[in-house]
Amino acid sequence: MAAYVLKRLLLMIPTLIGVMLVTFLVTQFVPGGPVEQLVSQLQGRGHAGEASAGTEGLYRGATGLSEEHVEKLNAMYGFDKPAPERFINMIVNYLQFDLGESYFHNKSVMELVVSKLPVSISLGVWSFFIVYLTCIPLGIVKAVRDGSSFDVISSTIILIGYAIPGFVLGITLLVLFGGGSFWDIFPLRGLVSDNWDDLPWYQQILDYLWHMVLPIIASVIGSFAVMTMLTKNSFIEEIRKQYVLTARAKGLPENTVLYKHVFRNAVIPLVTGFPAAFIGAFFTGSLLIETIFSLDGLGLLSYESVLKRDYPVVLGTLYLYTLLGLIAKLLADMSYVLIDPRIQFESVGQK
């Protein structure tokens, strides 16, 4: 197991470099980079007769920016160096977890990510626990009562929820319960109220939960179907195996057969996605959900960074997400061994 983990850790390095290289090359050919956008803004303000803060003297009326000033802008953003040198410097810095400085936010990329985490953690972690704690028991009950009225009705409901896009459901919830045409029960925007700092601690908790009800519902509804049906199908497959019939023939109680024997084998497909889902819950970001409920999270940050060509944010967050994804995949493989000791990665590797 140790040798397998070491191999996987070593393979992470070329994988990370490969992902970053492809993305870096793409950014070199995308038009409308940060320098072009700043030049366009300066020229637009110059025509309107306005002065741009920190750029006085760069614009010369209708003549545009001189080549000297454009070169200064390139140097300011680091584009005066050859692309290979910039890529090598970026990788060296990333290995030290120095993700660089944002072009437009005047903050480091790591500071930006940390500042957006409360929203993303709130959406991701709550969604993660609600989905797993609801879908696994529901899937087990559906498997035991396969073909019953409860199974048919619950399947219909969760499939309808799966078919409704999250942003459509979010808008519907706001119209119904956010003071639209019906009931004014939940707030329209934000993670907490404006007077949150002045509230006692127990009211702060209630205020936070009150703000999260609608975004969480809009986020989790679509996930119920996949996890519930995966759990159900996994349990049905195990229930039909010979060892279950043998256990029942020996007179073991049904709960013992189901939760001691079947559960351990049926949960293996669920465990494989658990680490990735748990780690991803801390960095999840839904652009549409965040926009609808006015939540400033990682989804909105990523979208705006792509539009503004804020390359340090785009590349820095991609590096961070890729690294976490590789770690989550490794943890998923390791959890296989913990759940099913029959799996031995060393012997597989030798074959």
Side-chain angles (χ1 to χ4, degrees):
M1 184 67 176
Y4 173 79
V5 173
L6 180 60
K7 291 178 183 178
R8 290 291 298 272
L9 291 175
L10 293 176
L11 285 173
M12 287 184 185
I13 298 177
T15 303
L16 278 171
I17 294 177
V19 171
M20 299 311 300
L21 177 60
V22 172
T23 309
F24 181 82
L25 292 176
V26 171
T27 61
Q28 304 308 302
F29 299 99
V30 175
V35 174
E36 290 82 356
Q37 291 195 14
L38 181 56
V39 170
S40 177
Q41 292 176 8
L42 291 174
Q43 290 177 343
R45 291 177 180 178
H47 284 297
E50 300 177 359
S52 178
T55 58
E56 292 82 353
L58 289 179
Y59 185 70
R60 298 182 177 181
T63 61
L65 292 175
S66 65
E67 292 185 3
E68 179 183 355
H69 291 144
V70 173
E71 291 177 358
K72 289 182 179 180
L73 290 177
N74 284 322
M76 181 176 68
Y77 288 119
F79 295 138
D80 57 327
K81 300 177 182 178
E85 181 180 350
R86 285 188 283 121
F87 178 75
I88 293 174
N89 291 336
M90 181 187 73
I91 292 298
V92 171
N93 292 332
Y94 282 4
L95 292 176
Q96 304 174 39
F97 288 95
D98 179 7
L99 304 182
E101 300 285 332
S102 170
Y103 292 153
F104 300 98
H105 295 277
N106 295 322
K107 291 182 179 180
S108 68
V109 175
M110 191 63 75
E111 287 181 36
L112 279 174
V113 171
V114 171
S115 67
K116 309 297 183 183
L117 275 181
V119 170
S120 298
I121 289 178
S122 297
L123 287 173
V125 173
W126 282 113
S127 299
F128 170 82
F129 282 110
I130 290 174
V131 168
Y132 270 84
L133 294 178
T134 302
C135 294
I136 291 180
L138 179 60
I140 295 174
V141 175
K142 285 173 64 63
V144 174
R145 303 174 62 179
D146 183 35
S148 65
S149 299
F150 171 81
D151 181 36
V152 174
I153 294 174
S154 59
S155 296
T156 302
I157 294 174
I158 62 175
L159 289 176
I160 291 174
Y162 179 74
I164 300 175
F167 69 92
V168 173
L169 180 61
I171 295 174
T172 304
L173 292 174
L174 285 178
V175 172
L176 291 176
F177 304 107
S181 304
F182 297 90
W183 302 280
D184 186 6
I185 300 176
F186 296 101
L188 288 172
R189 59 182 300 276
L191 194 61
V192 293
S193 299
D194 295 335
N195 63 335
W196 190 80
D197 292 330
D198 300 327
L199 299 175
W201 65 270
Y202 59 92
Q203 290 188 5
Q204 289 181 338
I205 296 175
L206 293 176
D207 181 77
Y208 163 75
L209 296 176
W210 180 50
H211 280 75
M212 291 307 302
V213 171
L214 297 186
I216 292 300
I217 293 176
S219 300
V220 303
I221 290 299
S223 303
F224 281 158
V226 175
M227 185 57 62
T228 300
M229 300 310 294
L230 177 62
T231 304
K232 174 189 173 181
N233 294 334
S234 179
F235 269 79
I236 288 178
E237 182 181 355
E238 291 297 324
I239 288 174
R240 294 172 177 172
K241 289 185 177 180
Q242 184 63 41
Y243 74 90
V244 176
L245 298 177
T246 304
R248 287 172 174 170
K250 291 181 178 179
L252 293 178
E254 187 64 23
N255 286 338
T256 301
V257 174
L258 184 62
Y259 293 103
K260 184 176 180 180
H261 298 281
V262 174
F263 183 83
R264 182 169 184 176
N265 294 322
V267 80
I268 293 177
L270 307 178
V271 169
T272 59
F274 187 91
F278 185 73
I279 292 178
F282 290 88
F283 294 91
T284 188
S286 175
L287 170 63
L288 294 175
I289 297 297
E290 291 177 9
T291 302
I292 291 171
F293 294 97
S294 299
L295 301 173
D296 189 11
L298 291 174
L300 192 59
L301 173 66
S302 301
Y303 176 72
E304 292 178 345
S305 300
V306 172
L307 288 183
K308 294 180 178 179
R309 306 294 192 267
D310 197 348
Y311 295 145
V313 177
V314 173
L315 294 170
T317 53
L318 176 65
Y319 173 81
L320 190 61
Y321 298 158
T322 304
L323 178 61
L324 291 174
L326 292 172
I327 293 175
K329 180 62 177 174
L330 175 59
L331 293 177
D333 291 343
M334 294 173 63
S335 63
Y336 260 125
V337 178
L338 298 177
I339 297 297
D340 190 354
R342 295 172 299 176
I343 299 176
Q344 298 293 332
F345 289 114
E346 288 86 351
S347 58
V348 174
Q350 291 175 0
K351 293 180 181 180

